[in-house]
């Protein structure tokens, strides 16, 4: 096995992307002593491959420039957040190969300070309690072309605001009765500056603070100030927050914060055949469209891992796609490329017959068997070899035989000779069928002179096939995963179910694998020769092995397109 260590310390690459350029310039100009970044997930779902891009960027920059990266849970909405997600997020960041060390934080660590800052804004006449309903607030916010309207509660005295805010905190009012808003400018061209909501009343139990708080800061009020408290230097987020940057700065300008972070925006990852909306991913799980957050068809880090993708492949993909300022959609084939690259290097080769067809070698003595040598990796002699057993009764793949061969079919058909990998040439001499006409068995002969796979007389065969000895082969279930969506641009909204691929999972209950696979370990990649990369699934028991296909040997998406 090649090692899968975390991305090693490397020199920052000048010009690699615009954010690294900014960090390099800031460090060179001594605007900061060290770079401090953060990855700020909201624990309302599992992390997905888009988050991996953000993790790779934030932790990667910290590593490359000798700084640090904080893991900060943006746990400001107890109505949607759960401990399960917090645990999963930590597991996934670690699995990706990153380490936050002692720097694990929560926005909820700062609830007291944030509350005190909100009071400061009230005292300075820069925040007020608004009694309008959510709907009224939305209507009065105006549109892109029309200014908003001032709330009738906008000019409350500081004393009245402080009192109401205190009573909101004490839990005197029901959800939605009042909010705290910043008093900025209802006519601003930037809607985010039209008196944004800072606090809302939520009666719910918070995973960390329990029922202590009845009011919760929203993302905008918590985020920048948390950055300032943690002395984050570069607060890197996705493009949709670009319009929030003036608000991010407004809070820092109007509060007595301990440091002055800056926000930078980059383009989020979008992938063909993939939906990365947390709302849709949650729906896929809740609606039973997949078997859970770590279903191997999910674009979640947990799903990708369970599918057998090494962390190294995900990091390689993140590095290849780079970081840009303009939104784009990455071809899912690119991720597959990184997966195959990593797996081709590391996965040991094994034989498995997914849809078995029995073969009887008529001229091979009954009761006899012999061991043959099979290499574990064609490009890595240090991976060694193993013994595989040849005998009179074998299994081959159903699709490797055709009673009436179509054009250019070079595999087994009556009268044709092929090579069994590591073994002998065999020739088909007969076909046995049941009463319904289904082929149940092939009769073949072998040429003892071709042991090892070559004929002393120099004759050639056009196909080399995988096979197993019937007596040795171990039954297994094999799960063939295909893309979850059947369109390159699936709907990321309401209509997503219409774009689900009905063939995203094909379960083969009657497959056979070679005995060496008894030693397979969960998530450890293996190549089934000629079929693709697979890994043992954790659903396996001592009674039943279950293998999942990580990826086929050739580009899934190119093939799909060619088929039209
Ligand atoms: P939501 O806020 O709707 O729950 P989210 O995907 O933004 O969903 P967060 O937990 O807030 O989830 O995301 C954590 C970080 O990951 C944020 O900084 C966010 O910008 C970044 N991120 C989320 N999706 C992507 C993506 N597709 N590509 C790159 N970064 C992403
Ligand atoms: Mg978010």
């Amino acid at each position: 096995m090649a090692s899968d260590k975390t991305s090693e310390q490397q020199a920052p690459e000048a010009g690699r992307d615009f954010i690294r350029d900014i960090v390099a310039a800031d460090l060179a100009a001594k605007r900061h002593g060290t770079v401090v970044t953060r990855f700020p997930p909201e624990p309302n779902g599992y992390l997905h491959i888009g988050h991996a891009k953000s993790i790779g960027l934030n932790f990667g920059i910290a590593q490359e420039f000798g700084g640090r990266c904080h893991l900060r849970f943006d746990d400001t909405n107890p109505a949607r957040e759960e401990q399960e997600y917090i645990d999963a997020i930590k597991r996934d960041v670690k699995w990706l190969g990153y380490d936050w060390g002692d720097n694990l934080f929560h926005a909820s660590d700062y609830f007291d300070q944030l509350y005190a800052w909100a009071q400061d804004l009230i005292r300075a006449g820069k925040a007020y309690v608004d009694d309008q309903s959510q709907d009224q607030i939305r209507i009065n916010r105006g549109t892109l072309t029309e200014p908003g309207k001032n709330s009738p509660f906008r000019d409350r005295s500081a004393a009245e605001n402080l009192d109401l805010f205190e009573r909101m905190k004490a839990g005197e009012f029901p959800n939605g009765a009042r909010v705290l808003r910043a008093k900025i400018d209802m006519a601003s061209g930037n809607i985010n500056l039209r008196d944004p909501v800072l606090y809302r009343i939520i009666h719910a139990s918070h995973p960390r603070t329990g029922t202590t708080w009845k009011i919760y800061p929203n993302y905008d009020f918590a985020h920048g100030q948390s950055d300032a408290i943690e002395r984050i230097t570069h607060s890197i987020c996705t493009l949709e927050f670009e319009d929030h940057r003036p608000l991010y700065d407004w809070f820092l300008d109007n509060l007595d914060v301990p440091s002055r972070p800056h926000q930078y925006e980059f383009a989020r990852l979008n992938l063909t055949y993939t939906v990365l909306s947390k709302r849709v991913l949650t729906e896929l799980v809740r609606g039973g469209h997949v078997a859970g957050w770590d279903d191997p068809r999910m674009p979640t880090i947990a799903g990708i891992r369970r599918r057998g993708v090494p962390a190294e492949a995900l990091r390689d993909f993140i590095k290849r796609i780079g970081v840009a300022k303009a939104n784009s959609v990455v071809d899912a084939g690119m991720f597959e490329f990184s997966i195959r690259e990593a797996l081709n290097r590391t996965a040991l080769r094994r034989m498995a017959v997914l849809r078995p067809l029995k073969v009887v070698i008529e001229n091979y003595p009954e009761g006899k068997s012999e061991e043959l040598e099979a290499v574990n990796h064609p490009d890595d002699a240090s991976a060694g070899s193993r013994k595989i057993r040849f005998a009179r009764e074998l299994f081959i793949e159903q699709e490797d035989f055709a009673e009436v061969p179509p054009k250019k079919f070079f595999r087994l058909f009556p009268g044709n000779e092929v090579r069994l990998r590591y073994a002998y040439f065999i020739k088909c001499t007969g076909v046995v069928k049941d009463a319904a006409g289904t082929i149940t068995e092939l009769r073949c002969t072998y040429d003892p002179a071709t042991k090892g796979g070559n004929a002393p007389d120099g004759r050639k065969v056009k196909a080399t096939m995988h096979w197993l000895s019937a007596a040795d082969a171990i039954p297994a279930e094999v799960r063939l995963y295909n893309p979850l969506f059947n369109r390159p641009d699936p709907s990321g909204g309401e209509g997503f179910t219409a774009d689900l691929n009905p063939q995203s999972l094909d379960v083969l209950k009657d497959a056979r694998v070679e005995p060496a696979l008894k030693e397979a370990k969960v998530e450890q990649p293996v190549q089934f020769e000629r079929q693709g990369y697979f890994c043992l699934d954790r659903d396996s028991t001592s009674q039943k092995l279950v293998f999942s296909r990580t990826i086929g040997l050739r580009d899934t998406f190119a093939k799909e397109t060619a088929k039209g």
Side-chain angles (χ1 to χ4, degrees), residues 494-556:
E494 292 304 320
F496 75 91
T497 48
D499 296 335
L500 283 170
N501 175 9
Q503 265 97 48
S504 62
L505 172 59
D506 194 2
V507 181
L508 307 178
K509 298 261 187 204
D510 192 33
R512 298 285 193 288
V513 302
E514 67 166 87
L517 286 167
K518 263 190 286 201
E519 315 301 323
K521 301 210 167 36
V522 172
E523 287 170 20
Q524 192 181 59
V526 56
Q527 186 191 99
F528 290 174
E529 296 211 20
R530 300 176 63 227
Q531 321 252 25
Y533 297 97
F534 292 75
C535 70
L536 190 72
D537 190 84
R538 59 140 208 263
D539 282 350
S540 298
T541 62
S542 55
Q543 305 304 310
K544 187 180 81 171
L545 295 181
V546 178
F547 287 92
S548 294
R549 181 168 67 195
T550 309
I551 195 167
L553 293 176
R554 272 168 287 279
D555 190 339
T556 318

Side-chain angles (χ1 to χ4, degrees), residues 12-62:
E13 289 167 41
R16 191 162 130 196
D17 60 62
F18 76 98
I19 295 193
R20 284 175 167 88
D21 287 347
I22 291 169
V23 171
D26 284 349
L27 290 175
K30 304 212 181 324
R31 278 188 284 273
H32 305 290
T34 45
V35 57
V36 187
T37 56
R38 86 286 169 268
F39 173 64
E42 181 176 358
N44 61 351
Y46 277 54
L47 298 180
H48 55 59
I49 190 169
H51 293 116
K53 176 178 181 180
S54 175
I55 294 168
L57 182 60
N58 282 294
F59 280 94
I61 285 178

Side-chain angles (χ1 to χ4, degrees), residues 331-379:
D331 186 340
M334 255 182 93
F335 183 38
E336 291 207 338
F337 177 84
S338 292
I339 298 172
R340 284 195 194 88
E341 277 261 304
L343 294 181
N344 182 41
R345 260 185 294 112
T346 56
L348 296 184
R349 274 48 169 175
R350 295 289 181 256
M351 291 205 280
V353 175
L354 303 189
R355 298 172 181 90
L357 174 59
K358 193 168 160 193
V359 171
V360 177
I361 309 290
E362 291 180 311
N363 60 339
Y364 197 89
E366 264 180 78
K368 180 184 165 177
S369 74
E370 65 191 291
E371 284 192 323
L372 301 165
E373 196 83 6
V375 303
N376 288 330
H377 197 296
D379 311 319

Side-chain angles (χ1 to χ4, degrees), residues 137-151:
I137 290 178
R138 193 171 33 76
I139 292 162
N140 290 338
R141 190 173 288 135
T143 64
L144 287 173
T145 49
E146 279 171 59
K149 288 195 197 72
N150 283 353
S151 162

